[in-house]
Amino acid sequence: FAYKGEDWVLRDVSFTVRRGQKLGIVGDTGGGKTTVLNLPLRFYDPQRGSILIDGIDIRRFSTAQLRRLMALVLQDVFIFPGTVRENITLGANDVSAEQAREAARQVFADGFISQLPKGYEGELAERGENVSVGQKQLISFARALARNPEILILDEATSAVDPKTESLIQEAMTRLLSNRTSIVIAHRLSTILDADQILVFRHGQIIERGTHAELVVGGGHYSRLYRLQARDQKNGIEKQVVAATEAGVPA
């Protein structure tokens, strides 16, 4: 696939995700990860090759049919001016107010929504300026779950939130992905340790594939990335403990 001419963003990319499996995608910035998310939803079509669902080329589906099968959760959550309920249902007639509330309960969004003025009928500002980054993420999870998609495509992001909110988001993500075919771009490898298969992208190609255990033992790019993140996480915890101790706060 190329956005322009034959300046290929993806080359010789081939993989299969079976029903109910979780596929993790990792790699360097500019490696083609986000492009992989765009293609199944037909935001773009590949110039060569094809994408199949149950053996059927996705170009044979109407856009509406295809997008009813899938839900996309992006790293940058877009909140529309309107009520919380409207932001979860996105105006879909087949998603009731009760389904919206149940989806929110499932992903732990109901707690903060219930505390908002007017709850689910409370107004959200443009781009969600009156809720936090973590709360917007939980709304996006509820939005995806309310449609009960067969395939979930997720650009995972838990940055810029406090540790408590991050823990809540991770648990909500686990519920969202449960018993569902999913493709997850992982910025933090801890979110895909249980993936059935992990693909490592570099310069538009898959350079490694396997489970977390297989890739760590393999000693390649993924293994180095995992050890680097583990070290950074450990150092971060140590710094927090030192800071808490110096402040006279029990660690």
Side-chain angles (χ1 to χ4, degrees):
F1 171 80
Y3 291 103
K4 184 178 180 180
E6 293 192 358
D7 183 14
W8 303 115
V9 178
L10 297 176
R11 292 171 293 161
D12 303 319
V13 171
S14 181
F15 60 87
T16 299
V17 188
R18 302 200 179 280
R19 184 181 295 273
Q21 287 189 336
K22 177 179 178 180
L23 175 75
I25 296 178
V26 302
D28 301 334
T29 300
K33 304 186 300 297
T34 301
T35 302
V36 172
L37 296 193
N38 288 331
L39 295 180
L41 286 152
R42 291 201 67 196
F43 295 145
Y44 305 93
D45 285 327
Q47 285 85 358
R48 301 180 187 174
S50 58
I51 300 170
L52 310 177
I53 295 180
D54 289 343
I56 302 171
D57 192 310
I58 62 172
R59 286 170 286 202
R60 293 176 58 187
F61 292 89
S62 70
T63 303
Q65 287 176 320
L66 187 64
R67 294 178 185 173
R68 274 197 295 269
L69 292 173
M70 304 183 193
L72 174 65
V73 179
L74 294 172
Q75 181 178 1
D76 184 16
V77 179
F78 194 89
I79 299 296
F80 301 89
T83 67
V84 175
R85 176 181 54 79
E86 289 168 340
N87 266 277
I88 293 175
T89 65
L90 294 181
N93 295 328
D94 56 345
V95 179
S96 67
E98 179 52 40
Q99 285 174 308
R101 285 192 292 269
E102 179 58 27
R105 282 193 287 268
Q106 287 292 318
V107 296
F108 309 110
D110 183 68
F112 84 85
I113 293 172
S114 299
Q115 295 176 10
L116 294 174
K118 298 185 180 180
Y120 286 84
E121 297 307 314
E123 293 287 328
L124 294 177
E126 187 169 357
R127 300 193 65 82
E129 291 181 358
N130 57 337
V131 290
S132 71
V133 172
Q135 289 168 343
K136 286 194 288 186
Q137 192 73 66
L138 293 176
I139 288 174
S140 74
F141 288 170
R143 180 185 290 169
L145 189 60
R147 303 185 67 83
N148 194 26
E150 294 189 36
I151 302 168
L152 180 68
I153 302 175
L154 176 67
D155 189 354
E156 173 267 320
T158 55
S159 59
V161 297
D162 61 86
K164 182 179 179 181
T165 303
E166 180 178 346
S167 177
L168 195 64
I169 289 173
Q170 294 290 3
E171 179 60 27
M173 193 184 305
T174 298
R175 290 194 176 189
L176 184 63
L177 297 175
S178 180
N179 300 317
R180 205 180 304 276
T181 307
S182 57
I183 301 173
V184 181
I185 285 185
H187 303 278
R188 301 193 183 188
L189 302 185
S190 58
T191 62
I192 56 166
L193 301 184
D194 62 341
D196 297 282
Q197 183 180 194
I198 297 170
L199 305 179
V200 184
F201 276 76
R202 198 173 209 183
H203 304 311
Q205 294 183 296
I206 299 172
I207 60 171
E208 297 174 18
R209 68 177 78 207
T211 64
H212 168 74
E214 291 168 346
L215 292 172
V216 168
V217 171
H221 186 74
Y222 179 90
S223 180
R224 291 190 295 274
L225 185 61
Y226 175 70
R227 296 182 195 284
L228 180 64
Q229 285 196 11
R231 186 195 68 188
D232 289 347
Q233 183 179 20
K234 180 182 177 183
N235 289 342
I237 292 173
E238 288 174 348
K239 288 176 182 177
Q240 289 175 29
V241 171
V242 170
T245 303
E246 290 177 348
V249 179

